[in-house]
Amino acid sequence: EVQLVESGGGLVQAGRSLRLSCAASGFSFDDYAMHWVRQVPGKGLEWVSSISWHSGYIGYADSVKGRFTISRDNAKKSLYLQMNSLRPEDTALYYCAKDIGSSGRGGSWFDPWGQGTLVTVSS
Amino acid sequence: QSVLTQPPSVSGAPGQRVTISCTGSSSNIGAGYDVHWYQQLPGAAPKLLISGDSNRPSGIPDRFSGSKSGASASLAITGLQAEDEADFYCQSYDSSLSGYVFGTGTKVTVL
């Protein structure tokens, strides 16, 4: 069974940093692109970042570009999101999601999703 | 920001048919990028419902169907059941933004 378990969320002050992790199991992690998607509680979904299977392709939403860095360690079957210069508007539940392919580029979809880790940024 | 527009809510009685629209533009759905749909039950993570415009993953009931025309897509739920109460999101890719985009989300209520 494919499982994705996020961790690393918490309460942090504006301007500080946080690193999220996503531990994957049940599939060949290094064969698939991965994504981060966030959701403000009670609001809609927002794509954050994507990374291809070999980290050759990386994409970011404009709202986080220059502040967030996605990375992966295929040997550890883990996905990461380094979040710097955090803002109150970054407060959200952060999900990691598996791609159905390896590139992470357009046309793909997300399946499955983890349960999410909550990030709260105080001002 | 959501570039795909959905109605905030739709409702129907048990057994009825409801549809959810997802309106995009020439840089996403209209450009030919596939549309995918997710169901998010209360307190749960999103779950893939429809992929590639109209394909149901294994385990998804055939009461759910998807279609696409031009720059818009639709999700239809026939034989509405109480367990279908959830939020539904469409998703595609936008070439202008060079990233994935989600719809604004639609809450389905079973009367």
Side-chain angles (χ1 to χ4, degrees):
Chain A
E1 179 195 4
V2 174
Q3 262 202 316
L4 299 170
V5 180
E6 302 93 337
S7 60
L11 176 63
V12 63
Q13 283 188 322
R16 306 296 290 266
S17 299
L18 209 57
R19 189 196 197 205
L20 305 184
S21 299
C22 172
S25 62
F27 66 103
S28 297
F29 182 74
D30 51 7
D31 281 343
Y32 293 92
M34 296 292 294
H35 309 272
W36 287 101
V37 178
R38 68 184 181 183
Q39 183 175 35
V40 174
K43 302 297 183 182
L45 300 169
E46 180 188 17
W47 170 74
V48 174
S49 183
S50 301
I51 186 168
S52 65
W53 66 282
H54 60 351
S55 306
Y57 167 75
I58 286 176
Y60 298 100
D62 286 344
S63 57
V64 306
K65 200 172 294 183
R67 300 187 299 121
F68 289 11
T69 302
I70 191 172
S71 63
R72 63 189 295 161
D73 185 331
N74 287 343
K76 294 183 177 179
K77 295 189 175 184
S78 292
L79 175 71
Y80 305 102
L81 187 67
Q82 177 67 43
M83 304 186 296
N84 298 333
S85 303
L86 281 162
R87 304 167 179 168
E89 55 264 37
D90 294 320
T91 294
L93 187 61
Y94 285 74
Y95 295 102
C96 76
K98 172 183 164 292
D99 199 299
I100 52 84
S102 60
S103 76
R105 290 182 178 270
S108 197
W109 59 92
F110 313 132
D111 182 44
W113 302 51
Q115 286 303 303
T117 187
L118 182 63
V119 172
T120 304
V121 184
S122 66
S123 54
Chain B
Q1 74 286 7
S2 297
V3 299
L4 304 180
T5 302
Q6 300 178 230
S9 63
V10 298
S11 61
Q16 284 191 330
R17 179 180 187 268
V18 297
T19 61
I20 300 170
S21 60
C22 173
T23 303
S25 67
S26 59
S27 60
N28 41 68
I29 301 175
Y33 290 104
D34 285 349
V35 178
H36 321 289
W37 292 90
Y38 302 89
Q39 178 188 45
Q40 187 174 31
L41 295 169
K47 173 186 170 184
L48 181 68
L49 198 64
I50 296 287
S51 65
D53 301 337
S54 59
N55 301 302
R56 279 187 314 275
S58 173
I60 301 299
D62 59 7
R63 303 184 294 103
F64 296 93
S65 63
S67 63
K68 185 175 81 175
S69 178
S72 296
S74 291
L75 174 73
I77 310 173
T78 58
L80 197 62
Q81 299 182 4
E83 67 207 47
D84 297 334
E85 277 209 346
D87 293 322
F88 292 81
Y89 295 91
C90 59
Q91 175 249 311
S92 187
Y93 183 84
D94 192 286
S95 58
S96 294
L97 298 174
S98 295
Y100 293 94
V101 290
F102 286 94
T104 48
T106 299
K107 181 175 182 59
V108 170
T109 301
V110 181
L111 301 171

